[in-house]
Structure formats: structure tokens, C-alpha cells
Amino acid sequence: MRRLAALVCLLVPLLIAVPARAAATPMQVYGSWHCGNDACIWGAVRDVSEFDQKNHWLIDRGDGRPSVNVVVLSFVHPVKLLHKTTDAQTLDGVPRGMTADIVNYFKSRGIRVMLSIGGITYTDAWNAALAENAAQFGRNAAEVAQRLGVGIEIDYEENSGADLAGLQSFIDAYRAVLPYDATGANHAARLTIDLAAGDRWLIDIGRKATADWLRTTAPVLDYANAMVPARQPSASAAIANWQEHLDGKPTYAPPIPPLAPAKFTGSLYIAEGNKVLPECTAFGASLQNSTGTFVQTAAPNGAGTSSGLLGYMFWAAERPSTRGVTTLPPNTCEGGVGGGATAYSIPIPMPALRQS
């Protein structure tokens, strides 16, 4: 008994000295970009039965529940949207594969849908559309969003000399048609932006978005996605990138301010290179598992009041490139993305998002 008492006396101070772990904030955004079957062109109408055969894992993680709560169809060509082009791959400015049937395939299961405008391949097209008529470009984006009942993602990847005035005009024009909706009830009012994995690329866009569009007071955009880096990171590298957004870059001239945790997601690959990734097939070995504590507890560092990023986005469903692995059967992602949806109790449909 005396030995037990002595052991208790030794352990109690140690237990008292251990700080309590921050409470986990439930994730709200858990989604995938979707590149269709032609490396992000979406150039042909899809038969819904064929589409389901290739993509059923997105709406069913194995128990009838979806694996995600948002899908971002990627990509819309900026100049074609501005001109409302109709050609072999495009109808009235929208890729022919991005049909109401495909949108409803997801929305009928409680999955929010967005269209992504741009991507790295269409950087010059973004510049051209903004220079020609940024406001009309924004109005056209809003019209498509209303017609299909989807949100819009800005993926403008100009690293040097980005047209920030034009981008402001695009956003202003969109918001004149579809004002910011904190409830999320109007799907077409959801307007987001992609930023770099950390703060060392897309610096001008990141600075402008963080300072003016992603504030918790008077917000303009709903949130940002910290995109994937050049290749799948380690857990520590992913966390370091996301921490840069939380901290900002006070030594830059001008500085990049900190971003509230409630205003961005972190992103990981599910299809990259020539190997099937655990992020797709095996949640227990995945980065969404090993980084999950950080994503749910990351503390604000100068912006926002609540802890925890909004959640995760995954790049990318079906065939994101003409080479390398896909998420096509048998390499579907119920076990990785779907496993994470179960482990983190992802809400479907997506609820109103945290605002601070």
C-alpha cells in the first residue's frame, strides 16, 4: 500500500501538469474536386448510368451514405464563359459534360455541387477574361450558378502580376446578383477561392483574398481552399503549409495577414502518380487520419475566434490527368475518403458554416 501511495504521489503532479487538449471542432466541409473522364475538360455529355458506374463511391461509402458533402466540377474555361461560347466541347459557355443531370446526381443525395472556373491550364484565359470585361464575366458566372443551382469556385492561378482589380470587379458583379449568404441555403450564392497550399505562392492573390474577401467581419467570399502542393506532402509538411495561412507572413512587404481557421480547408491528393494512395483506399494509413487532430483543433493566430479548419478537399475524382492513377474501379475511394467521412461524422448535407 505504501508503494502504491508513493506512486500516486508521483503521478498526480504529472497529471496536473499536462495541459488539456483543445476540443475538436467538427468538420463541415469534406469534398472532392471532380475532373470527369477526360482530365478536367468535361467535354462530352455523360450517361448517368455510366457516370454512376465510374463514380458510385462518391454517393455511397459502402453503407448507402455519401463519402463527401461537396463535389467541385473542374474546370470551366474563363473566356468561353465570358463569351457564352458554343462549340464541340462547350454549350453556352459551360463544358457540355456539366449537365443538370450530373448536378442532380449529387444534389439528390444531399451533396452540394460547385463549378470551378480556371485551373492552372486556364491561367492565361483568366487574365484575358478579366481584361476584356471582368464585370460581365462575373454576371455570367452568377447566371450559370443560378441556372444549375450550384456554387462557383475561383481558381485563378496567376503567380505574378495577377489582375486583382479585375478579380475584384468579377466578385463585385457576382455579389451584386447573389449576395453573401451565411446560411448557405442558396447554393448559387456560395462563392469560394483557391489559394496556394501555404503563403509562398500566389502571394498577391493570397494577400488580397485574406485581407479583403475572407474576413470574419463583412465577409465577401465564403471560404478558401488551400490547394494541394506539387506532390503529396508528409503530414508535417501539410500541417506546416496550413499553419502559414493561420500565421500570415508579417515579414512580407506588404505583409499577408493571418487567415481565420474557419475560413479555409486543407487539401490532399487521392489520385497522383502511379501508385494507389491510402488517402483514397485506406483511411487508417491516410493523411486525413494523421493530420485530423490538427485540422480539428488548429488555433486562430490573429484572425477568427474558433479553432479548427473547415475540413478537407481531395484532388481529384475520376481522371485528373491523362496519365497515372485514377479513382476508377477498382481503385475507388470508399475506404479512404469514405472512411474519413465515417470517422469524422461528416454532416450530409453540409450545414451552415462557422462564421468566426
Side-chain angles (χ1 to χ4, degrees):
M1 287 295 293
R2 280 184 291 183
R3 287 183 179 178
L4 179 59
L7 182 60
V8 170
C9 290
L10 288 172
L11 288 176
V12 167
L14 293 176
L15 293 172
I16 293 173
V18 175
R21 175 179 290 183
T25 300
M27 296 182 199
Q28 296 183 296
V29 176
Y30 194 81
S32 180
W33 287 281
H34 199 302
C35 283
N37 61 359
D38 55 4
C40 306
I41 296 172
W42 287 88
V45 174
R46 302 286 296 275
D47 175 80
V48 174
S49 295
E50 176 270 336
F51 184 85
D52 178 68
Q53 181 185 17
K54 303 294 195 305
N55 294 281
H56 190 76
W57 70 269
L58 285 159
I59 64 166
D60 182 2
R61 70 186 78 162
D63 60 6
R65 294 178 296 169
S67 294
V68 297
N69 64 9
V70 60
V71 168
V72 183
L73 309 184
S74 308
F75 294 102
V76 176
H77 190 294
V79 171
K80 290 184 178 184
L81 180 57
L82 171 61
H83 294 165
K84 295 190 173 182
T85 299
T86 294
D87 59 23
Q89 296 180 329
T90 315
L91 178 62
D92 199 24
V94 178
R96 288 183 177 271
M98 296 183 184
T99 61
D101 285 343
I102 296 301
V103 170
N104 290 333
Y105 171 81
F106 293 112
K107 292 187 69 173
S108 65
R109 275 83 174 186
I111 301 171
R112 187 179 288 262
V113 179
M114 302 183 69
L115 307 187
S116 182
I117 301 174
I120 191 70
T121 301
Y122 295 153
T123 300
D124 289 344
W126 255 107
N127 288 328
L130 293 176
E132 182 178 339
N133 194 334
Q136 189 60 53
F137 183 20
R139 287 190 288 269
N140 288 2
E143 186 275 327
V144 168
Q146 289 177 307
R147 173 160 51 88
L148 290 176
V150 300
I152 295 292
E153 173 189 273
I154 297 166
D155 189 357
Y156 177 30
E157 300 188 35
E158 180 57 81
N159 188 46
S160 178
D163 185 352
L164 299 180
L167 189 54
Q168 181 72 68
S169 295
F170 171 94
I171 293 169
D172 288 345
Y174 192 98
R175 283 293 181 229
V177 178
L178 292 162
Y180 182 86
D181 176 16
T183 72
N186 183 355
H187 288 204
R190 179 62 49 84
L191 183 60
T192 67
I193 192 167
D194 287 349
L195 302 179
D199 272 340
R200 287 166 288 169
W201 190 60
L202 303 182
I203 293 172
D204 292 342
I205 293 173
R207 179 186 293 115
K208 176 69 172 175
T210 304
D212 292 345
W213 302 327
L214 295 167
R215 295 176 296 173
T216 56
T217 57
V220 177
L221 301 179
D222 290 84
Y223 60 88
N225 300 304
M227 294 186 291
V228 287
R231 59 187 59 85
Q232 190 80 297
S234 64
S236 60
I239 289 170
N241 281 332
W242 302 334
Q243 188 66 48
E244 287 187 3
H245 287 296
L246 297 172
D247 297 342
K249 289 290 186 184
T251 60
Y252 282 14
I256 301 176
L259 181 61
K263 285 298 177 180
F264 75 105
T265 71
S267 302
L268 300 168
Y269 286 95
I270 51 173
E272 179 213 26
N274 296 314
K275 295 181 179 179
V276 176
L277 299 174
E279 286 66 41
C280 176
T281 59
F283 173 73
S286 72
L287 286 168
Q288 63 264 34
N289 182 23
S290 59
T291 62
T293 296
F294 175 86
V295 167
Q296 294 174 97
T297 63
N301 190 24
T305 58
S306 63
S307 295
L309 277 55
L310 281 178
Y312 288 105
M313 285 294 297
F314 298 99
W315 178 263
E318 201 166 355
R319 187 178 296 278
S321 67
T322 56
R323 300 179 181 179
V325 299
T326 69
T327 67
L328 294 167
N331 301 328
T332 53
C333 299
E334 299 96 330
V337 178
T342 299
Y344 295 127
S345 299
I346 298 301
I348 299 170
M350 186 185 295
L353 301 179
R354 288 157 42 217
Q355 295 298 302
S356 61

